[in-house]
Amino acid sequence: MAEELKISEGGKEEKYALLYAQIKSVVSCEDVIIANMANVAAMIHHTFGFWWTGFYRVEGDILLLGPFQGPLACTRISRGRGVCGTAWLERRTIVVPDVEAFPGHIACSSASRSEIVVPLFAADGAVRAVLDIDSEHLAMFDAVDELWLERIVKLL
Ligand code: SME
């Protein structure tokens, strides 16, 4: 049992290490961030088979839907609202093992059960966007996802 767990954790680390190298190479060929966000969302999404993977970009006082993979999503999120708006306000990654237990969670899809939201910082320290990933499984995300997704968004 413990060994099984170790193997599957190892698998996730390896996938992230390879994905990180691929993303680094892909984004080094392009300067326009929205184009890079589109490819990063696609690469993460198809590596892990998540339910929804995408970006919300800060536009004034809201988060506006950016490039994503998965079913349609709400287009505007206020600062402090939902998981995305809270990650923006608190300037930190938020891992939600059960979305129903997160007060104010915005249910774009009833299939979403757990999620992780990672902020992207501009050079001046302001949050410029968030990466939002949803899973249809409970407790899909852990410290391994947090570590690698934070590394990945720093490439943008
Ligand atoms: N889950 C988000 C809303 C966006 S959709 O899930 C794509 C939230 O509560 O912030």
Side-chain angles (χ1 to χ4, degrees):
M1 181 73 170
E3 202 177 323
E4 257 174 49
L5 197 67
K6 229 174 136 188
I7 290 165
S8 77
E9 280 303 302
K12 184 156 88 171
E13 282 269 14
E14 282 162 18
K15 279 187 182 178
Y16 269 119
L18 184 59
L19 179 63
Y20 180 85
Q22 287 169 340
I23 289 174
K24 195 171 181 185
S25 158
V26 166
V27 304
S28 72
C29 305
E30 175 56 62
D31 295 334
V32 179
I33 192 166
I34 199 153
N36 284 332
M37 284 175 166
N39 274 333
V40 168
M43 292 166 84
I44 295 172
H45 194 75
H46 294 287
T47 296
F48 293 104
F50 293 133
W51 175 255
W52 196 94
T53 309
F55 292 90
Y56 282 90
R57 295 184 309 126
V58 173
E59 285 280 347
D61 59 356
I62 59 149
L63 286 172
L64 189 63
L65 183 62
F68 73 94
Q69 299 271 313
L72 99 171
C74 53
T75 57
R76 289 164 187 256
I77 298 175
S78 303
R79 196 152 182 263
R81 277 211 60 219
V83 187
C84 292
T86 305
W88 178 19
L89 180 69
E90 296 183 1
R91 303 169 50 80
R92 65 182 180 94
T93 297
I94 301 184
V95 176
V96 180
D98 178 357
V99 295
E100 285 181 20
F102 189 93
H105 169 253
I106 302 163
C108 290
S109 161
S110 58
S112 173
R113 309 288 301 281
S114 63
E115 70 176 90
I116 183 168
V117 178
V118 181
L120 270 81
F121 297 98
D124 66 0
V127 174
R128 76 190 303 193
V130 297
L131 168 64
D132 176 11
I133 306 179
D134 293 11
S135 169
E136 70 270 54
H137 305 290
L138 284 171
M140 177 53 78
F141 305 101
D142 59 19
V144 173
D145 301 278
E146 187 172 345
L147 178 81
W148 281 100
L149 293 170
E150 286 180 355
R151 284 181 183 163
I152 287 169
V153 300
K154 286 197 182 107
L155 295 172
L156 286 165

